[in-house]
Amino acid sequence: MIRGTYSFRMPTRSPMDSPLARARRVVVKVGSALLVEAATGRINRTWLETLVEDLLWMRARGQQVILVSSGAIALGRRQLSLAKGPLRLEESQAAAAVGQIRLAHAYKELLEGRQVTVAQVLLTLEDSERRRRYLNARATLETLLSLGALPVINENDTVATAEIRYGDNDRLAARVAQMAGADCLILLSDVDGLYTGDPHRDPDAKFIEEVSQITPEIEAMGGRSASEFGSGGMTTKLLAARIAVAAGCHMCIAAGHPLHPVRRVQEGARCTWFLPSATPIAARKQWIAGTLRPAGAVTIDPGALHALRAGRSLLPAGVTGTRGQFERGDTVSVLTGEGAEVARGIIAYSDADAAKIIGRQSAEIGDILGFRGRDELIHRDDLVLMQAART
Ligand code: GLU
């Protein structure tokens, strides 16, 4: 075994030890080249049925599953009889509009035939980059999952302009994994993982089973995968890996062509795993603690400080005042009456709304504000205690 940031050893994990088996929330991404038959431009139905069975198999054992599916453009271009070769932006957008409805229909048919409600979510780059849109998308995903639906996500290709486009679903899937706090992301692809070189050209190219750190050496292995339909190569997969591991999510690149492509991963099929540096919650908390300039602050009473120390959320009742201007979703400081910063967290209300509900019971929020927001001003998952609180 070669030590360092990657290794060439054979799989040693037992199936139940796989990050996939241990995950609570899993995002699976399927590429266009898998879904759409090259010869006919139609959905590869037999394969898709086995993918759906795998998703249901994960759900049956209590895992929450999100699917990120490409294929809209590949399906739509055939329907519109667009010629082979690269499409202009407006042609891909037209193809996506035609193809997405077919894609959604196929998933609806297959999943609802198995009594699972499918939800279509179309996202743009802006939805993951702009804080408020990010939070809205996150809340929608959370609600769908808690209601037992299976979200099927694609980029909203018809409205995304070139500058605000992901263009590939690898990064989109990684953002979704981050947004949803998923602990495992599986990229099903036309390659079975990462190699030290291009395995088609370089007979000495070695397969990499595990990457514990994405070093410049690993990035140099990017290259591109030659695929007629997909737009992501190894480069976008490595970019996706960066996002996923920083968010505390395991990521795996695996061959998607075989039947039951997800189950195979757990059973030890060859694939490359990228290891996260922390859990999703720890990664999120690190990000909160590292905020350079909190937008504002709230001051709390000793009872609330006691609750925070015990690992509980910050409720409006324990807050005595607000400082500065902030929006829902901003990071704010939590201060004692004496002004010591004891915590930081993502606040669920704007400064104006917060000012109205502080000191009040959560049950009164709806009446005071005219809408029912969260019971907590800062949820414990969004809150990190600073050193001052621990002493
Ligand atoms: N969003 C595109 C589609 O559904 C695919 C992007 C990709 O190939 O990753 O056709």
Side-chain angles (χ1 to χ4, degrees):
M1 173 176 152
I2 296 182
R3 290 195 176 277
T5 51
Y6 57 88
S7 53
F8 302 131
R9 61 194 159 78
M10 293 302 288
T12 48
R13 286 194 180 92
S14 82
M16 290 325 288
D17 215 23
S18 157
L20 174 56
R22 285 184 276 123
R24 185 183 59 93
R25 192 170 276 183
V26 184
V27 176
V28 177
K29 180 256 169 180
V30 298
S32 309
L34 306 175
L35 247 160
V36 183
E37 281 171 352
T40 61
R42 288 178 201 276
I43 289 183
N44 186 345
R45 193 79 190 195
T46 316
W47 175 85
L48 190 58
E49 277 170 17
T50 70
L51 172 77
V52 163
E53 271 172 32
D54 287 2
L55 304 182
L56 299 180
W57 164 72
M58 286 192 280
R59 284 170 53 105
R61 62 184 189 188
Q63 294 175 307
Q64 291 180 324
V65 180
I66 297 174
L67 180 66
V68 174
S69 176
S70 309
I73 298 174
L75 285 172
R77 68 182 295 160
R78 170 187 170 270
Q79 191 73 21
L80 293 172
S81 311
L82 290 164
K84 282 199 176 241
L87 298 177
R88 283 181 291 127
L89 179 63
E90 50 292 9
E91 285 174 332
S92 349
Q93 295 187 308
V98 169
Q100 183 61 34
I101 200 163
R102 283 171 169 70
L103 198 57
H105 189 257
Y107 283 119
K108 177 180 179 295
E109 216 176 64
L110 285 175
L111 283 159
E112 295 198 352
R114 310 284 297 266
Q115 281 70 53
V116 172
T117 304
V118 54
Q120 172 178 270
V121 181
L122 300 178
L123 295 173
T124 61
L125 185 66
E126 280 195 307
D127 297 323
S128 66
E129 303 289 307
R130 294 244 176 118
R131 177 66 68 80
R132 295 202 62 185
R133 292 172 70 152
Y134 176 91
L135 289 171
N136 273 335
R138 193 171 72 136
T140 306
L141 283 179
E142 199 65 53
T143 308
L144 285 169
L145 290 171
S146 69
L147 293 173
L150 196 155
V152 176
I153 300 180
N154 197 356
E155 183 162 14
N156 195 348
D157 292 308
T158 52
V159 297
T161 64
E163 313 79 67
I164 57 151
R165 236 178 144 231
Y166 279 103
D168 65 90
N169 276 3
D170 295 324
R171 278 175 301 163
L172 173 67
R175 283 284 184 217
V176 166
Q178 178 193 42
M179 197 182 269
D183 30 23
C184 184
L185 166 63
I186 311 277
L187 296 185
L188 295 176
S189 162
D190 50 358
V191 288
D192 58 0
L194 183 65
Y195 290 80
T196 54
D198 180 348
H200 297 298
R201 291 193 211 139
D202 175 6
D204 291 331
K206 293 206 171 53
F207 185 77
I208 299 176
E209 189 200 327
E210 198 169 87
V211 177
S212 55
Q213 206 187 335
I214 305 169
T215 57
E217 191 190 5
I218 292 287
E219 296 208 334
M221 295 172 192
R224 286 199 71 82
S225 79
S227 142
E228 190 184 344
F229 290 123
S231 41
M234 198 47 80
T235 315
T236 62
K237 289 181 178 50
L238 290 178
L239 289 170
R242 267 197 179 286
I243 299 169
V245 300
C249 180
H250 279 85
M251 190 187 102
C252 160
I253 302 175
H257 279 298
L259 301 182
H260 292 290
V262 183
R263 202 187 269 237
R264 284 181 74 250
V265 168
Q266 186 175 317
E267 285 165 359
R270 177 141 127 155
C271 63
T272 301
W273 279 105
F274 293 80
L275 309 184
S277 40
T279 63
I281 288 196
R284 188 169 160 72
K285 294 205 169 191
Q286 221 166 32
W287 177 78
I288 295 169
T291 306
L292 289 181
R293 229 177 310 149
V298 294
T299 45
I300 60 170
D301 64 21
L305 178 58
H306 191 69
L308 299 191
R309 282 194 178 128
R312 293 207 285 274
S313 299
L314 180 63
L315 300 177
V319 177
T320 53
T322 72
R323 289 193 199 167
Q325 288 182 337
F326 47 83
E327 285 300 321
R328 179 170 85 85
D330 281 341
T331 301
V332 299
S333 295
V334 179
L335 310 175
T336 61
E338 293 76 43
E341 186 181 37
V342 284
R344 275 184 191 184
I346 298 178
I347 195 141
Y349 292 90
S350 68
D351 59 307
D353 288 343
K356 292 182 198 148
I357 58 173
I358 58 175
R360 311 287 289 264
Q361 294 303 312
S362 299
E364 298 175 273
I365 294 177
D367 286 340
I368 300 171
L369 298 181
F371 65 90
R372 224 190 100 198
R374 285 188 100 147
D375 284 352
E376 309 84 14
L377 205 57
I378 303 179
H379 189 272
R380 61 194 167 97
D381 286 351
D382 294 335
L383 189 114
V384 41
L385 287 190
M386 309 300 272
Q387 204 55 44
R390 301 198 187 106
T391 51

